[in-house]
Amino acid sequence: QVQLVESGGGLVQPGGSLRLSCAASGSIFRPNTMGWYRQDPGKQRELVATIRSSGLTNYADSVKGRFTISRDDAKNTVYLQMNSLKPEDTAVYYCNYRKPTPPYEYWGQGTQVTVSS
């Protein structure tokens, strides 16, 4: 019912910036929560940032002050602006959509972010 397509990943040097986009399509209900998670092979998926329809945001401590999440409801799109990137930020980044009634969530296919010299 809901499809999420991420874009914007790539290779960047330490200290550089990238902006990720996630376009949602299908049966989009509001209010909802959209967010970004990341995962390296063999490791657990971890929260990066979330944003509610109200605009309320939540960030992982490791990215706070460097990353900014935003949304454009007219386009059903969520963004992640990533600044001052570090090698530790290297991962596959996944877009997430959650609706409360009935509770359920959807995931995108992921986009690779590699931070390296």
Side-chain angles (χ1 to χ4, degrees), residues 36-39 44-49 60 62-63 88 91:
W36 291 94
Y37 293 72
R38 65 187 182 187
Q39 185 175 24
Q44 284 193 323
R45 189 171 301 182
E46 65 176 2
L47 170 78
V48 177
S62 60
V63 307
E88 306 92 90

Side-chain angles (χ1 to χ4, degrees), residues 26-63:
S27 300
I28 307 300
F29 292 89
R30 286 185 281 270
N32 60 51
T33 300
M34 300 189 72
W36 291 94
Y37 293 72
R38 65 187 182 187
Q39 185 175 24
D40 269 335
K43 297 183 179 180
Q44 284 193 323
R45 189 171 301 182
E46 65 176 2
L47 170 78
V48 177
T50 60
I51 183 167
R52 300 190 182 195
S53 296
S54 65
L56 181 66
T57 59
N58 183 46
Y59 295 92
D61 289 341
S62 60
V63 307

